[in-house]
Amino acid sequence: HIVSIDDILFLKSDNNYTEVHTSDQRLIVVSKTLKHYDDQLKGYSFFRSHQSYLVNLNYAKTFHKTDSVLELTTGQHVAVSGTKAQALLHKLGQIG
């Protein structure tokens, strides 16, 4: 599969596999770790919000502090770990 970086909403870890969720609602499972993609996508608008998630901040809509969840413009929710919340808020402040 060839996917434009701009079309990736988020990536989710599934052990040694990674689920790639796209803006056109495709789900692509790849046999590489999330760390591999974290390294590959440095320098783009991606943020490691949780041990299991790498999210494209271009699709960020609202951060719900009480639930530690980032809502995307598509309505999907991505988990944010407590240790990453401040860094996320800082990063979102730089974008918006």
Side-chain angles (χ1 to χ4, degrees):
H1 298 274
I2 297 174
V3 178
S4 169
I5 290 173
D6 294 334
D7 292 334
I8 299 172
L9 295 173
F10 64 93
L11 298 99
K12 181 181 178 188
S13 172
D14 185 11
N15 294 314
N16 288 325
Y17 294 91
T18 299
E19 297 176 359
V20 179
H21 295 258
T22 65
S23 58
D24 60 359
Q25 300 179 355
R26 287 187 292 161
L27 171 62
I28 302 163
V29 178
V30 185
S31 60
K32 293 196 184 291
T33 64
L34 188 61
K35 180 173 181 352
H36 170 82
Y37 290 104
D38 193 10
D39 294 339
Q40 293 288 311
L41 295 169
K42 292 227 186 297
Y44 294 94
S45 297
F46 284 83
F47 180 77
R48 186 78 178 254
S49 67
H50 187 277
Q51 179 181 350
S52 301
Y53 287 94
L54 184 62
V55 62
N56 185 343
L57 294 180
N58 291 326
Y59 290 97
K61 181 179 175 185
T62 307
F63 176 53
H64 301 280
K65 288 183 187 178
T66 54
D67 300 333
S68 290
V69 168
L70 180 65
E71 182 179 348
L72 305 181
T73 57
T74 58
Q76 292 163 294
H77 292 93
V78 174
V80 177
S81 72
T83 58
K84 302 279 186 155
Q86 277 305 114
L88 174 64
L89 290 171
H90 178 72
K91 196 88 157 147
L92 290 173
Q94 291 177 339
I95 293 172

